[in-house]
Amino acid sequence: MLPFFFFPQAWSQQGVPLPVFRWAGTLTDPRGAIEQAARRGVSFQYQYIDEVSQAPIGAPGSHDWYGRYTWTLAAAADMHQAMGWSGTSGFASMKEHAREFGRLYSGVAQGFSNQDAPARTALYEAWMEQSLLDGRLTLKAGRVDANTDFDAVPTAGDFLNSSMGYSPTIMGFPSYPQPQPAVELSVMPQKTTRAGVAEFRTAGGRLFLAEADRTWSVGRDARAGRAAVGGWRLTESLSRFDGVTASGTGGLYGVVEQVLWVQPEAGASARSLAAFLQVGTGDERVNPYSRHVGGGLVLTGTLHRRPHDSAGAAATWVRLAPETGGETAVEVYYKLNLSRAVWLVSDVQYFSHPDGIAVHGPSVVATPRLVFNF
């Protein structure tokens, strides 16, 4: 359910003015409407992703190409500017995912595209956030993507493999494609230290998350670093692999990110090399992914004249159910900046023991992705 303050009719019934919506009558002039909304503290963003993947080379069956697209329309509001509510902000987004052609190959445990999901058009996120005590205390409530504030790996944001985004050991993690209603509380006693807790609704129960992270900088060139550790507990009826019913499960995770090298460029963005490391654990009696380790490197500003291009190489390994083994995925990509709003990502992934089955030979997946941001 959307929070009370997302319903304009509710505001009107309470006698609250609606300055945020006064620009709605100017929709015949979209550019003017957007500019007027910005003056009211409301900003919009649109992203469109189109990609194709070839079914893994070396895998049994057809090696046809599979195409899909995803678009996202998001709006963020500074409620102090829009309504005079100090320290309050809001966010809402719509998302559509659909298949264009071909048939998806599902012979790997770690998805080779973080955009894969059942075809649907739906509300994605809708939440409000209140900041108190000069930003040291923050409360968020609504429909939330958990990966925004928990187990996030910003350095790995351009990798396509799903495990690079967050550890698959967290069962019921309410991220793409279906965030869930949640209440989050975070405390920042210092600018470099944060602790957060959250309760999310899941399909059959509740997921509790807790995380603490710290940031730092190293050297005269202020190379940024970050470390986060967290724990999770899923409370719902679960069937263990031995047939016993469990009332819940839980585990731990950790993330470390560090800029290793920076080379400032005159009149352009700095070139940099950053590294990341991920770990995760889960109960092997009930969790299909009981162990996870991943890590890699990302180079930003690959060439002197290409400051907005980037390239990455990483590997991720998961331990699967007891009767199987582990699956390793190695991924490399190059992100080519075509214009201010358009990027082309060329991605190749190599899977060893797909689905954790030793008799399955290695396979390779190639995925070109086109990204538009407006």
Side-chain angles (χ1 to χ4, degrees):
M1 178 180 294
L2 288 173
F4 166 84
F5 20 89
F6 270 89
F7 290 97
Q9 66 271 25
W11 294 0
S12 298
Q13 290 167 4
Q14 297 298 319
V16 180
L18 302 178
V20 172
F21 296 95
R22 288 176 183 166
W23 52 268
T26 66
L27 292 181
T28 53
D29 177 17
R31 184 185 297 271
I34 292 174
E35 292 175 354
Q36 190 169 350
R39 290 193 292 269
R40 297 289 187 180
V42 181
S43 60
F44 297 92
Q45 183 177 18
Y46 177 79
Q47 182 182 72
Y48 177 82
I49 297 175
D50 201 311
E51 63 184 25
V52 294
S53 297
Q54 187 176 25
I57 301 170
S62 172
H63 296 156
D64 293 338
W65 289 87
Y66 172 77
R68 63 279 207 195
Y69 71 84
T70 302
W71 62 255
T72 305
L73 177 62
D78 179 344
M79 302 306 292
H80 176 69
Q81 187 174 350
M83 304 289 294
W85 300 348
S86 179
T88 307
S89 60
F91 182 84
S93 63
M94 293 286 296
K95 196 179 279 284
E96 177 180 84
H97 176 78
R99 182 180 70 177
E100 292 185 298
F101 59 84
R103 186 176 62 181
L104 177 64
Y105 178 84
S106 58
V108 296
Q110 301 176 88
F112 48 77
S113 172
N114 51 21
Q115 295 300 311
D116 281 333
R120 62 182 301 180
T121 303
L123 174 71
Y124 189 67
E125 288 190 274
W127 49 259
M128 297 292 287
E129 185 175 76
Q130 179 66 51
S131 179
L132 301 168
L133 303 177
D134 294 327
R136 291 192 293 271
L137 180 66
T138 302
L139 177 65
K140 180 188 289 188
R143 184 178 174 88
V144 180
D145 184 332
N147 199 212
T148 303
D149 300 313
F150 296 91
D151 202 18
V153 195
T155 303
D158 289 322
F159 286 95
L160 271 59
N161 189 285
S162 298
S163 292
M164 305 292 185
Y166 60 85
S167 177
T169 57
I170 308 177
M171 290 186 66
F173 196 57
S175 184
Y176 181 80
Q178 195 168 357
Q180 294 291 344
V183 176
E184 296 185 17
L185 177 67
S186 64
V187 179
M188 186 176 288
Q190 301 175 346
K191 290 184 178 180
T192 59
T193 306
R194 183 193 72 91
V197 294
E199 177 184 345
F200 286 81
R201 189 180 72 188
T202 64
R206 294 287 188 271
L207 176 69
F208 299 90
L209 290 162
E211 179 178 302
D213 69 67
R214 184 176 179 83
T215 59
W216 61 79
S217 60
V218 178
R220 294 182 179 179
D221 48 4
R223 300 187 305 275
R226 170 181 171 266
V229 293
W232 58 276
R233 178 68 185 176
L234 178 64
T235 58
E236 63 177 70
S237 180
L238 300 168
S239 296
R240 294 186 353 187
F241 296 118
D242 58 8
V244 177
T245 299
S247 60
T249 186
L252 302 171
Y253 65 84
V255 175
V256 178
E257 302 174 276
Q258 178 64 57
V259 175
L260 304 176
W261 168 78
V262 175
Q263 183 185 57
E265 292 287 325
S269 301
R271 303 174 67 202
S272 64
L273 179 68
F276 69 92
L277 174 67
Q278 304 166 274
V279 295
T281 68
D283 187 343
E284 63 181 7
R285 297 171 300 175
V286 65
N287 197 325
Y289 305 94
S290 59
R291 297 290 184 274
H292 170 232
V293 178
L297 297 169
V298 174
L299 176 65
T300 301
T302 56
L303 301 172
H304 288 284
R305 296 185 178 181
R306 305 293 304 177
H308 301 298
D309 286 7
S310 63
T316 175
W317 172 86
V318 291
R319 171 72 178 180
L320 302 175
E323 65 270 16
T324 61
E327 177 189 87
T328 301
V330 179
E331 179 178 1
V332 295
Y333 76 84
Y334 190 94
K335 185 179 182 181
L336 179 67
N337 180 225
L338 300 178
S339 72
R340 185 177 62 88
V342 183
W343 286 263
L344 174 63
V345 182
S346 300
D347 184 272
V348 177
Q349 296 178 53
Y350 169 89
F351 290 87
S352 175
H353 300 156
D355 270 341
I357 302 175
V359 296
H360 285 182
S363 58
V364 177
V365 182
T367 305
R369 169 182 287 186
L370 197 59
V371 181
F372 298 85
N373 282 324
F374 301 99

